[in-house]
Amino acid sequence: MRRILNAGKMVFLPVMTFLVFFIITRITGNKTFGDFYTWKMIFINTATTVSMGYVLALNLKSGRMDLSCGANMIASSLLSVYIATSYGLNGWGLLALCILFCVVFSLITAFVYVTTKMPIIVTTVGMALVYESATRLINSGNGGNVISTGTYNFWGMAPWAYILMGICVLAYHIVTQYTIIGHESEALVHNQRLGVSLGINEKRNVIYIFLFSGFLLGICSAMYAATTVMAPQSNFASVGTVFQNLLPVIMGLYLAKYGNDSVGILMGALSVGIIKYGLNLIGWGSALNIVIGLFMIGFSIYTRLDEQSQKKAD
């Protein structure tokens, strides 16, 4: 009975989000929200969001915040598309390049962090600037666009987008729940000094976490390239991509107490996907960041109040 109750709590957020937008769209005169096409687009949007969410969660669970992953993803997408189209590679070649470049860039970020010993925020913000500068050099700063190219855009369509999302869910769950690195990360975030004194190699942990997150980011990069007209980045524009995908992580880490965070982040990403699609359908797509920001603040207040009420009950 408890498992059923916890499962209900896990799916409560996306169900309520869907019902809210179902009512709003009916009031505004749109009767298409909720049909087969709606769910198809929501799940496709969720695939990219949840992949980036797992990248952020891997570092957050280790007590780190990687603000460079957005710039890393965009630079890797642009570079992979440029090479793939220049040399006639197929979609699998594009995916392999995206994973390769994301892993390499992630490891560079990790190397800078462990060698300079600068705070993680300073390191990743600096690397975000480096990767953004690279996007202005790739393809002479002309960006990239393969969303109409059948050789590559299938990564952003069903069923491949769902398959890639499933790989990300499985990989994240295995790394965090069944590997030494995942358990070491939790120990470090709870008490870094104690964890190191007990023999945890923090530098090794950083390298492996950035390696795994780079792999997941590479999958996300392929879906991003398949669904987005890519443009050069500047002035920390890529950091906005990071914060747009932070909300599912916050939701997922909270919902983890009812199951595990891998499913929780998926539920959070599904909720964000519903919000994005619903706002675009009613013509409020430009207000996405405002709504996401307000939703994040509201959810944070709710979790804080919930934690306080549970402490009083105990």
Side-chain angles (χ1 to χ4, degrees), residues 40-287:
K40 178 182 177 182
M41 296 308 299
I42 287 173
F43 282 129
I44 287 175
N45 290 333
T46 298
T48 305
T49 302
V50 77
S51 302
M52 177 65 85
Y54 288 138
V55 172
L56 294 170
L58 271 176
N59 282 287
L60 282 175
K61 283 172 69 71
S62 307
R64 296 181 288 269
M65 177 65 178
D66 183 9
L67 293 176
S68 68
C69 61
N72 181 345
M73 178 188 71
I74 297 169
S76 297
S77 297
L78 283 168
L79 189 56
S80 299
V81 165
Y82 177 71
I83 294 176
T85 54
S86 297
Y87 293 93
L89 302 180
N90 60 19
W92 292 95
L94 175 66
L95 176 63
L97 287 173
C98 285
I99 293 174
L100 173 64
F101 288 125
C102 281
V103 167
V104 169
F105 292 153
S106 292
L107 289 177
I108 290 173
T109 302
F111 178 77
V112 172
Y113 174 58
V114 298
T115 54
T116 63
K117 298 181 180 179
M118 292 189 297
I120 189 64
I121 295 295
V122 176
T123 302
T124 56
V125 165
M127 295 309 297
L129 284 174
V130 173
Y131 300 144
E132 283 190 350
S133 299
T135 64
R136 308 191 73 81
L137 300 176
I138 301 168
N139 195 24
S140 302
N142 293 319
N145 181 7
V146 293
I147 59 176
S148 299
T149 306
T151 308
Y152 308 112
N153 65 5
F154 64 88
W155 291 123
M157 301 179 181
W160 290 106
Y162 306 150
I163 293 173
L164 293 182
M165 179 173 64
I167 292 173
C168 288
V169 174
L170 185 61
Y172 176 84
H173 186 71
I174 291 173
V175 169
T176 56
Q177 300 296 321
Y178 300 107
T179 66
I180 295 175
I181 297 300
H183 295 311
E184 286 180 347
S185 295
E186 290 200 16
L188 288 171
V189 75
H190 285 104
N191 194 323
Q192 183 182 31
R193 188 169 297 178
L194 178 60
V196 172
S197 67
L198 290 174
I200 295 177
N201 188 325
E202 186 181 7
K203 290 185 178 181
R204 183 190 65 182
N205 183 267
V206 170
I207 296 297
Y208 276 115
I209 289 297
F210 271 88
L211 173 64
F212 289 132
S213 65
F215 170 75
L216 296 179
L217 191 62
I219 294 176
C220 184
S221 177
M223 290 189 285
Y224 177 83
T227 56
T228 309
V229 177
M230 296 170 290
Q233 304 290 295
S234 61
N235 300 321
F236 297 113
S238 63
V239 177
T241 304
V242 176
F243 283 108
Q244 278 188 9
N245 294 284
L246 184 60
L247 180 57
V249 181
I250 295 174
M251 294 177 179
L253 295 180
Y254 170 76
L255 293 172
K257 63 183 181 179
Y258 302 122
N260 58 68
D261 57 344
S262 54
V263 177
I265 294 171
L266 179 60
M267 293 297 101
L270 182 58
S271 301
V272 172
I274 293 170
I275 292 172
K276 287 182 179 180
Y277 185 81
L279 288 175
N280 287 326
L281 198 62
I282 62 178
W284 291 2
S286 59

